[in-house]
């Protein structure tokens, strides 16, 4: 999945707009974009929206961002939405594997009550929203088969650190957030799950968004979260492998298939070895999955 659009769950209009946005996934938000007084109403709307659309054939993945494990709201969130069969939850303020194991247990109990298969609902963890989480970003491996992705956040982290800003005057992330981004990327890779880049909040700045998407793709992220429907097309465009990238990957796979005993080969004057083959195969499997 390339684009993950946040939609506040207390807005029916935005939920409907989200469906038509072209996003690969909707992140139906019960957390930061919903005021405390509206949480229970938002839960009901999220569940009703899921029930209305979960059986539709051509639809984005429907993912609910619940409140954090320490919020005292997550149990009511899960009680409201699990029976409506979301594809996944986003777990904010996760602190390493222990948080995923904890959320897994909460989901398993409710799946059993709702008659859903164990493990039906996947987990995407936001891995860098607290200072403690940064030190645990490498622990997600084997935490739960539900874990399918890691993403990162700069907003809550900057509040926790007492920072005045998280970006510099040129729109680039400052050091603490560059560290968080890198820990998300490497933590996801170590756990063999998707690395998803954080939101770009300046939602009228298309050029800035595109630049940030390209930098994320360059470094190994394969998708990005959005906060506004206008961001979806740019994210989809940048994270869809280009015809040129697909052709290059196919050439690498074909060359190794022709020389199965070769450790390294040359194509067009460039050396390719086994890690390049693995990367080419990863890219092609992403393309195949999208077409299926
Ligand atoms: N999902 C679905 N629809 C959205 C949307 C979103 N995330 N953001 C905006 N829209 C809709 C608006 O409702 C508006 O609809 P309309 O034309 O029928 O009135 C249209 O898109 C254009 O919106 P625009 O006027 O450009 O922005 P806005 O001022 O209405 O909204 C935000 C700005 C930031 C409040 C809004 O984009 C938003 O709620 N984003 C998500 C916030 C969030 O979930 N944060 C948590 C994660 S960090
Ligand atoms: Mg937050």
């Amino acid at each position: 999945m390339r684009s993950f659009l946040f939609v506040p769950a207390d807005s029916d209009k935005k939920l409907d707009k989200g469906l038509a946005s072209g996003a690969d996934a909707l992140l139906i938000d019960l957390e930061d974009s919903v005021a405390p007084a509206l949480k229970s109403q938002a839960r009901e709307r999220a569940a009703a929206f899921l029930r209305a659309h979960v059986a539709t054939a051509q639809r984005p993945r429907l993912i609910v961002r619940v409140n954090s494990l320490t919020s005292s709201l997550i149990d009511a969130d899960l009680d409201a939405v699990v029976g409506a069969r979301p594809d996944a939850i986003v777990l904010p303020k996760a602190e390493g594997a222990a948080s995923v194991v904890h959320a897994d247990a909460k989901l398993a109990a409710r799946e059993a009550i709702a008659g859903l298969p164990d493990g039906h609902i996947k987990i995407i963890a936001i891995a860098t929203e607290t200072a403690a989480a940064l030190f645990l970003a490498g622990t997600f491996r084997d935490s739960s088969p539900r874990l399918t992705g890691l993403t990162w956040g700069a907003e809550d982290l900057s509040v926790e650190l007492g920072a005045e800003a998280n970006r510099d005057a040129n729109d680039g992330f400052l050091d603490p957030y560059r560290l968080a981004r890198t820990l998300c990327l490497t933590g996801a890779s170590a756990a063999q799950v998707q690395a998803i880049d954080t939101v770009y909040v300046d939602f009228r700045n298309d050029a800035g968004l595109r630049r940030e998407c390209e930098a994320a793709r360059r470094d190994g992220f394969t998708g990005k979260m959005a906060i506004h429907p206008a961001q979806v097309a740019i994210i989809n465009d940048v994270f869809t492998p280009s015809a040129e990238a697909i052709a290059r990957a196919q050439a690498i796979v074909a060359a190794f298939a022709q020389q199965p005993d070769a450790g390294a080969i040359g194509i067009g004057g460039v050396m390719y070895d086994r890690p390049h083959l693995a990367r080419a195969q990863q890219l092609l499997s992403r393309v195949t999955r999208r077409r299926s």
Side-chain angles (χ1 to χ4, degrees):
M1 282 181 285
R2 305 157 299 179
S3 52
F4 300 74
L5 173 63
F6 270 112
V7 185
D10 59 358
S11 165
D12 286 333
K13 185 173 90 173
K14 286 181 183 167
L15 287 166
D16 287 338
K17 285 223 149 193
L19 266 188
S21 68
D24 293 336
L26 300 187
L27 306 177
I28 303 164
D29 190 24
L30 297 175
E31 200 214 15
D32 288 344
S33 71
V34 177
L38 296 181
K39 295 282 185 197
S40 96
Q41 189 184 322
R43 286 180 193 121
E44 280 166 31
R45 284 193 162 155
F49 181 77
L50 287 165
R51 288 205 176 83
H53 299 290
V54 84
T56 310
Q58 293 292 316
R59 62 159 174 83
R61 299 287 168 84
L62 300 175
I63 300 174
V64 178
R65 179 164 73 169
V66 294
N67 288 278
S68 73
L69 287 163
T70 54
S71 66
S72 79
L73 297 166
I74 186 170
D75 288 307
D77 293 344
L78 293 172
D79 286 342
V81 300
V82 164
R85 304 174 70 106
D87 296 307
I89 62 162
V90 168
L91 184 67
K93 303 180 180 71
E95 295 186 335
S99 296
V100 174
V101 171
H102 193 172
D104 178 304
K106 287 182 183 291
L107 285 168
R110 288 168 176 87
E111 282 172 342
I113 292 167
L116 293 181
D118 183 31
H120 178 82
I121 300 174
K122 305 296 185 245
I123 297 174
I124 295 171
I126 313 187
T128 69
E129 290 191 303
T130 70
L134 297 186
F135 297 94
L136 297 165
T139 64
F140 286 98
R141 185 181 198 146
D142 297 330
S143 55
S144 162
R146 293 181 195 272
L147 187 70
T148 58
L150 290 188
T151 183
W152 68 285
E155 307 304 326
D156 289 87
L157 182 59
S158 58
V159 173
E160 175 144 330
L161 297 179
E164 291 171 5
N166 51 33
R167 292 185 185 255
D168 63 20
N170 297 320
D171 203 28
F173 277 114
L174 293 162
D175 274 354
Y177 315 95
R178 297 184 64 76
L179 174 67
R181 176 180 182 276
T182 300
L183 287 171
C184 170
L185 179 66
T186 52
S189 179
Q192 295 186 295
V193 299
Q194 184 181 12
I196 303 160
D197 197 25
T198 195
V199 296
Y200 187 71
V201 294
D202 188 4
F203 60 84
R204 307 266 186 244
N205 182 353
D206 290 353
L209 172 65
R210 184 172 286 276
R211 244 190 333 269
E212 197 161 280
C213 288
E214 284 169 352
R217 186 192 63 198
R218 174 198 68 199
D219 290 348
F221 289 93
T222 53
K224 187 171 176 71
M225 299 189 292
I227 50 150
H228 191 284
Q231 297 184 316
V232 168
I234 295 172
I235 294 174
N236 285 350
D237 184 41
V238 174
F239 288 99
T240 302
S242 65
E244 191 192 3
I246 295 169
R248 200 178 322 118
Q250 284 168 335
I252 294 168
V253 170
F256 275 99
Q258 272 167 19
Q259 305 174 57
D261 295 330
I265 52 173
I267 306 173
V270 178
M271 188 279 292
Y272 294 92
D273 59 11
R274 293 277 151 184
H276 295 102
L277 174 62
R279 202 164 68 193
Q281 286 166 333
Q282 267 172 22
L283 184 137
L284 294 176
S285 81
R286 266 187 14 241
V287 172
T288 322
R289 273 206 307 277
R290 279 204 52 71
R291 285 184 186 145
S292 63

